[in-house]
Amino acid sequence: MINFLWVILITLGVIFSIITGNFTNLSSIILNSTSDAFNIFLKISFMIIFWSGMFNILKDTGYLKKLSKLLSKIIKPLFKELDENSKAIEYISITILSNILGLGVASTSTGLKAFEYLKEEAKDSKLPSKAMITFIILNITSFTIFPTTIISIRNNFGSTNDMDVLLIIM
């Protein structure tokens, strides 16, 4: 389905460039766009690598476990069917913490680990448990207090004040 959508969008783009007389510029636009996309990818990936490394340091020192214990007290009412000492609660807390910091991509590995534990606790049912659905909804909403990825993108594009969007996002 997504392939079909891309084919339609690219075809419409080519047709529109022919109609508007910009067909000669199309190849330079395509080449420049790929270069820009690669540069953005590199800059964002370094930020993600940095924050993933910070998370690993926090994990190795035990601070992440302490932070997740604090956060687990807040989110435990959402996951009533899980045991208080569940590993899933710990990983859910870490995932939510990384989303709060705006590191959604860096939280992928902990989110997958949390889902593994949730699946184990669901006793291999074919249907998702209430905890799984709640976790998916929490992840989709991606509650963010400090949007580091957006601030980084604004910085990469030469924004005069990267933090202007902070109040709007909150």
Side-chain angles (χ1 to χ4, degrees):
M1 179 65 185
I2 194 77
N3 291 339
F4 181 69
L5 182 65
W6 278 111
V7 169
I8 289 173
L9 289 175
I10 290 170
T11 305
L12 285 174
V14 170
I15 291 170
F16 188 72
S17 68
I18 292 170
I19 291 171
T20 58
N22 289 326
F23 188 72
T24 55
N25 297 332
L26 189 61
S27 62
S28 64
I29 290 170
I30 290 172
L31 291 175
N32 289 338
S33 297
T34 56
S35 174
D36 290 345
F38 183 72
N39 288 333
I40 292 168
F41 165 77
L42 277 179
K43 291 175 182 178
I44 291 175
S45 64
F46 287 133
M47 187 213 42
I48 291 169
I49 290 168
F50 170 76
W51 282 108
S52 295
M54 292 300 289
F55 259 63
N56 284 335
I57 290 169
L58 287 172
K59 185 178 173 186
D60 291 344
T61 58
Y63 285 116
L64 198 54
K65 194 165 192 150
K66 290 177 185 176
L67 286 170
S68 72
K69 287 268 189 221
L70 277 169
L71 192 58
S72 69
K73 292 176 183 174
I74 297 169
I75 66 167
K76 179 62 180 124
L78 296 172
F79 299 94
K80 292 177 183 168
E81 64 272 9
L82 296 179
D83 182 33
E84 190 137 336
N85 297 323
S86 171
K87 276 293 229 188
I89 290 286
E90 180 181 336
Y91 280 101
I92 289 169
S93 300
I94 294 169
T95 304
I96 291 172
L97 184 64
S98 60
N99 281 331
I100 287 172
L101 295 174
L103 307 170
V105 175
S107 72
T108 301
S109 61
T110 57
L112 291 173
K113 198 71 169 169
F115 214 82
E116 279 180 32
Y117 285 114
L118 287 171
K119 188 175 181 181
E120 284 176 16
E121 293 189 22
K123 296 173 183 44
D124 295 323
S125 171
K126 297 263 184 208
L127 297 173
S129 67
K130 184 179 175 188
M132 288 174 164
I133 295 169
T134 304
F135 179 63
I136 288 171
I137 290 171
L138 281 174
N139 247 350
I140 289 170
T141 57
S142 187
F143 177 70
T144 302
I145 293 177
F146 193 72
T148 52
T149 304
I150 292 173
I151 291 169
S152 173
I153 290 171
R154 287 176 55 85
N155 185 322
N156 290 336
F157 280 100
S159 172
T160 55
N161 192 350
D162 304 336
M163 306 289 256
D164 278 350
V165 296
L166 194 58
L167 186 59
I168 295 168
I169 289 174
M170 287 178 157

